[in-house]
Amino acid sequence: IREPDEALSTDLVPGDVIVIPSNGTIMPCDAVLICGTCIVNESMLTGESVPITKTDLPNPQQDKKGGHGDAIYSTEEHKRHTLFCGTNVIQTRYYTGEMVKAVVVRTGFSTAKGQLIRSILYPKPTDFKLYQDAYLFLLCLVAVASVVFVYSLVMKILNQEPVKEIIVKSLDIITITVPPALPAAMTAGIVYAQRRLRKVGIFSISPQRINICGQLNLVCFDKTGTLTEDGLDMWGIQRVEDGRFHHSEEKADDKSLVTTKFVSCMATCHSLTKIEGQLSGDPLDLKMFEATGWILVEATEEETAHHDRIELTYVKPPNQLLPPSVISPEQDMELSELYELSASYMIGIVRQFSFSSALQRMSVVVRQIGERRMDAYLKGAPEVVASLCKKETVPEDFAEVLEDYTKQGFRVIALAHRRLESKLTFHKVQNINRDQIEKNMDFLGLIIMQNKLKTETPGVLEDLRHANIRTVMVTGDNMLTAISVARDCSMIQPQDRVIIADALPPKDGQTAKINWHYADKPSQCAIYWPDPVTVVLIQEQYHFAMSGKSFSVIIEHFQDLLQKLVLHGTVFARMAPDQKTQLVETLESVDYFVGMCGDGANDCGALKRAHAGISLSELEASVASPFTSTTPSITCVPNLIREGRAALITSFCVFKFMALYSIIQCLSVALLYSVSSPFIY
């Protein structure tokens, strides 16, 4: 293998092949992996310091059966194969002695980091009525100054004053009427507000938006990590066998469950990795894996270098969890025999399909040591997982059980399994499409996680409600869970009714339609649109709730209803990142001044688009939002609105003072000019 040449990062151009150092590096460009695997911290872009595994780009020609040509690389579509500029490569892994290589695809301001910096350098212009009116009023002052200028000019010519005096004194009128200190004076309130905000841990990269905060009348909140605690706690599991639910169980690390497919799915279907001996990854995955009590073992670089793409990661239960029928305390076993017994339960992770917020699921292909056929495990949103499973394996009361948990505010995750065909070899699996794996699954059951409200959340929302500031929840979580949390934190009052708008796209020649259901009675139809009863919806005690899928259908097929729905919409669940941005734009189109409060991960687009985006994350991605709070709680929202109102009133009062001062001085000087008074000299 030829040793790579060293070059400056500034000399890189798209198409260059670079070697990623084994000890990690900060990426100087966007590059796509073509050989090897990397573990990357993308907090600089996403706002979440969760290590992500990046795999090499699969060769589309190995999958191709028709003559359609090679697939075109897309940054968005091949995100899990792309190393983004500015992100930190923590570890690299390689096979058969090859180096970890990547092809440069973008450099400079074209990279993801470059676009982020560009949005900071050139933020969206502040479309604020006070500033528009200020420019309009300055034009009026210029018109007044022009009239007084002509009047003074005529009067001085009639008084036969020297030419020099006429020019100097007449032009002086314009500088008196149009105050040059007005912009500086109006900024004074903003400067002091910014200082006060800094003291309470709120920082801003766009100070002009502080004034806009004074006019906020609607605030959107993310749920997880914003209204609720970041971490999730395991509440219990509910397994399915023969198409029926078992009774709920508290623990998954029971000896009787160790060999079940359910526990195997919990132990393998995750994106965890070991960094310096510590398990790292998504907090939800971490809680789920810890609940099994299993052990994760990763092969070292030296081991993988001598093998042809063996499983890099495998999991196994500790010896004390192995069934009593297999290991008897009376048996006198050698350590080597005990290890072999434990090894027989080892499961190697062959292929990983990363979690996608758009697909709302992740899956893995695994192989148990000693078996030829491989298994596929799936984890994700219950509705999505159930739709990918065989109907006979999904319990008939699935919807009722799920609804019962979500109404109580639990976060529910579903698991599924599928035995893969024997013809699927290791190399075929490396290039197979995830759609071919994620189908005809067997439903395994539910994991129930508890997500508690932050202590300060109800009080802050109550303050906003008393101030007549509307609050909206925008989350990627389940609909009924979101409604439950909204009721718990008093975003929706106990006596208020919630109507779920379930929009269905056109299908089999039928036009798109919307079904309306009460959240507490999903089977009962609430109302059909249009209908005379819709007048009732104008009342404040009704709230609309809708999912991301319904929202996209409404945008496409019910544009005339969209604005009416967002006027009373309180809960928007299962929202993708781009849908959050679309919602903010829609709310702004109905003349709301919108604030967005999120954790800086999936909310980046909405944070930038809102009039006032408030990030609760101190990581690099938060810089994209105008405001960042060092305290990860929503108490920053009322503080920001208070300071915004104080700055706005100060700016308005300074504006009036400066304008009146200028007009009075202008008219006074014009009057003195008209009588040639000596007081003006």
Side-chain angles (χ1 to χ4, degrees):
I1 299 171
R2 178 174 169 262
E3 282 298 316
D5 298 324
E6 288 192 7
L8 293 171
S9 59
T10 50
D11 295 335
L12 292 175
V13 293
D16 286 346
V17 178
I18 58 174
V19 175
I20 311 298
S22 58
N23 58 348
T25 183
I26 303 290
M27 287 300 296
C29 59
D30 284 1
V32 59
L33 268 174
I34 56 171
C35 181
T37 307
C38 290
I39 299 170
V40 186
N41 184 341
E42 290 191 337
S43 61
M44 178 266 177
L45 292 177
T46 63
E48 290 182 350
S49 55
V50 175
I52 296 165
T53 303
K54 301 282 184 174
T55 56
D56 52 348
L57 194 68
N59 186 354
Q61 287 183 330
Q62 293 179 11
D63 267 344
K64 192 176 60 179
K65 292 182 179 178
H68 301 295
D70 289 349
I72 298 171
Y73 168 77
S74 162
T75 309
E76 192 61 35
E77 188 181 338
H78 300 98
K79 189 184 288 185
R80 69 186 192 92
H81 310 296
T82 306
L83 303 172
F84 292 102
C85 179
T87 58
N88 185 14
V89 179
I90 305 168
Q91 282 182 4
T92 62
R93 297 181 182 137
Y94 58 91
Y95 314 93
T96 61
E98 292 183 13
M99 292 177 286
V100 179
K101 291 181 285 191
V103 176
V104 178
V105 288
R106 296 186 302 190
T107 59
F109 278 108
S110 300
T111 63
K113 180 183 179 182
Q115 289 166 7
L116 181 64
I117 291 170
R118 184 180 284 158
S119 70
I120 296 165
L121 293 175
Y122 308 104
K124 186 187 73 171
T126 48
D127 182 21
F128 192 38
K129 204 168 186 306
L130 178 66
Y131 298 141
Q132 293 173 358
D133 291 347
Y135 290 126
L136 189 63
F137 190 74
L138 283 174
L139 287 174
C140 294
L141 289 180
V142 169
V144 171
S146 302
V147 171
V148 177
F149 169 75
V150 172
Y151 172 76
S152 302
L153 197 65
V154 171
M155 291 302 297
K156 287 188 178 297
I157 291 170
L158 290 176
N159 291 336
Q160 296 181 346
E161 293 189 17
V163 175
K164 183 182 176 182
E165 289 292 321
I166 292 173
I167 294 171
V168 171
K169 297 288 173 63
S170 298
L171 288 173
D172 196 33
I173 286 287
I174 296 174
T175 61
I176 290 170
T177 313
V178 184
L182 181 61
M186 286 182 68
T187 308
I190 297 172
V191 170
Y192 285 105
Q194 194 175 9
R195 285 183 182 178
R196 288 192 294 270
L197 285 172
R198 194 182 300 135
K199 288 178 182 176
V200 292
I202 302 171
F203 297 88
S204 172
I205 61 166
S206 182
Q208 293 299 323
R209 290 191 187 229
I210 294 175
N211 270 345
I212 301 178
C213 293
Q215 283 204 310
L216 292 183
N217 49 13
L218 183 146
V219 183
C220 297
F221 292 98
D222 181 37
K223 185 180 80 70
T224 310
T226 304
L227 296 174
T228 60
E229 296 288 351
D230 228 342
L232 288 165
D233 295 317
M234 275 285 295
W235 183 84
I237 61 172
Q238 188 139 15
R239 295 184 299 121
V240 168
E241 279 185 14
D242 302 322
R244 292 182 181 179
F245 277 115
H246 276 253
H247 293 295
S248 60
E249 298 161 272
E250 284 187 23
K251 294 182 178 181
D253 59 354
D254 193 86
K255 290 183 179 181
S256 61
L257 303 178
V258 72
T259 56
T260 60
K261 296 295 181 189
F262 188 94
V263 171
S264 298
C265 183
M266 288 179 68
T268 56
C269 197
H270 52 70
S271 55
L272 299 177
T273 186
K274 275 196 174 181
I275 297 174
E276 296 178 357
Q278 292 292 319
L279 272 179
S280 298
D282 187 276
L284 187 148
D285 286 350
L286 207 55
K287 286 280 182 186
M288 186 181 73
F289 184 74
E290 286 173 352
T292 64
W294 283 40
I295 302 162
L296 183 135
V297 183
E298 288 182 336
T300 63
E301 288 182 355
E302 290 75 17
E303 289 170 339
T304 57
H306 299 296
H307 297 82
D308 185 18
R309 291 177 175 266
I310 62 163
E311 294 90 354
L312 290 175
T313 306
Y314 61 89
V315 293
K316 63 174 184 176
N319 295 329
Q320 63 266 27
L321 280 184
L322 290 172
S325 58
V326 178
I327 298 180
S328 174
E330 291 82 15
Q331 281 181 303
D332 187 18
M333 302 182 74
E334 294 290 335
L335 283 175
S336 60
E337 291 177 5
L338 197 62
Y339 176 78
E340 284 175 14
L341 192 60
S342 176
S344 67
Y345 287 91
M346 283 187 187
I347 302 174
I349 300 171
V350 176
R351 178 87 190 271
Q352 184 187 97
F353 296 100
S354 303
F355 175 78
S356 164
S357 55
L359 299 175
Q360 298 178 355
R361 63 182 186 265
M362 81 162 288
S363 58
V364 290
V365 177
V366 304
R367 184 171 65 191
Q368 187 171 326
I369 302 298
E371 290 195 13
R372 287 189 176 184
R373 288 177 70 178
M374 290 184 265
D375 298 276
Y377 289 112
L378 177 71
K379 174 189 79 176
E383 307 93 330
V384 176
V385 173
S387 68
L388 298 169
C389 290
K390 297 172 191 169
K391 284 188 178 178
E392 62 270 18
T393 65
V394 180
E396 290 180 4
D397 59 344
F398 165 75
E400 289 80 5
V401 171
L402 176 62
E403 182 191 333
D404 185 49
Y405 283 125
T406 51
K407 274 184 178 177
Q408 296 176 58
F410 292 118
R411 184 167 179 182
V412 183
I413 296 151
L415 306 181
H417 162 262
R418 178 182 157 210
R419 190 85 162 147
L420 296 179
E421 300 83 2
S422 55
K423 65 179 182 180
L424 276 175
T425 62
F426 184 90
H427 292 286
K428 283 182 180 177
V429 166
Q430 294 305 319
N431 298 291
I432 201 168
N433 194 318
R434 73 185 295 170
D435 293 334
Q436 294 173 264
I437 297 290
E438 297 169 347
K439 64 179 182 181
N440 298 325
M441 311 284 285
D442 294 327
F443 194 78
L444 291 177
L446 305 172
I447 298 174
I448 301 99
M449 313 285 281
Q450 200 169 18
N451 195 200
K452 296 176 183 176
L453 270 179
K454 289 184 177 179
T455 52
E456 59 274 0
T457 295
V460 170
L461 294 182
E462 186 70 15
D463 290 345
L464 293 175
R465 195 167 64 85
H466 285 311
N468 290 325
I469 295 170
R470 191 179 147 202
T471 53
V472 171
M473 184 190 294
V474 191
T475 177
D477 211 339
N478 178 279
M479 170 75 75
L480 294 175
T481 302
I483 292 171
S484 169
V485 172
R487 286 197 184 277
D488 289 345
C489 64
S490 300
M491 190 178 281
I492 297 173
Q493 296 298 304
Q495 70 276 11
D496 294 356
R497 301 297 294 272
V498 179
I499 295 176
I500 297 174
D502 185 17
L504 304 172
K507 189 178 181 182
D508 301 329
Q510 294 182 345
T511 58
K513 64 176 182 177
I514 304 177
N515 294 330
W516 310 88
H517 302 282
Y518 289 117
D520 51 348
K521 299 172 186 174
S523 57
Q524 182 183 339
C525 181
I527 195 166
Y528 287 99
W529 194 297
D531 193 288
V533 191
T534 54
V535 178
V536 179
L537 298 177
I538 298 169
Q539 299 176 23
E540 287 185 359
Q541 63 264 32
Y542 282 87
H543 301 265
F544 283 122
M546 67 190 78
S547 66
K549 284 182 180 177
S550 297
F551 184 71
S552 59
V553 172
I554 290 166
I555 284 179
E556 189 174 349
H557 300 284
F558 299 95
Q559 273 290 338
D560 54 328
L561 291 184
L562 181 61
Q563 293 189 343
K564 295 176 183 176
L565 286 171
V566 297
L567 283 171
H568 288 273
T570 302
V571 175
F572 296 84
R574 294 288 187 223
M575 295 287 276
D578 57 331
Q579 289 175 331
K580 292 184 181 184
T581 308
Q582 285 178 321
L583 175 64
V584 169
E585 288 172 352
T586 307
L587 289 166
E588 289 177 352
S589 71
V590 290
D591 295 331
Y592 273 114
F593 281 88
V594 182
M596 173 72 196
C597 185
D599 56 9
N602 295 332
D603 312 308
C604 274
L607 288 167
K608 284 194 281 187
R609 187 66 187 85
H611 288 112
I614 310 154
S615 171
L616 303 184
S617 167
E618 291 185 64
L619 298 164
E620 291 90 334
S622 64
V623 181
S625 71
F627 300 97
T628 302
S629 172
T630 53
T631 308
S633 75
I634 62 170
T635 51
C636 60
V637 176
N639 285 334
L640 188 59
I641 293 173
R642 284 190 197 99
E643 293 298 343
R645 289 186 177 182
L648 181 60
I649 290 170
T650 304
S651 296
F652 191 66
C653 291
V654 165
F655 181 81
K656 288 196 294 185
F657 171 78
M658 295 290 287
L660 286 170
Y661 184 96
S662 299
I663 290 172
I664 292 167
Q665 187 179 5
C666 169
L667 295 177
S668 301
V669 170
L671 183 65
L672 292 171
Y673 279 165
S674 65
V675 294
S676 299
S677 170
F679 291 111
I680 60 172
Y681 295 100

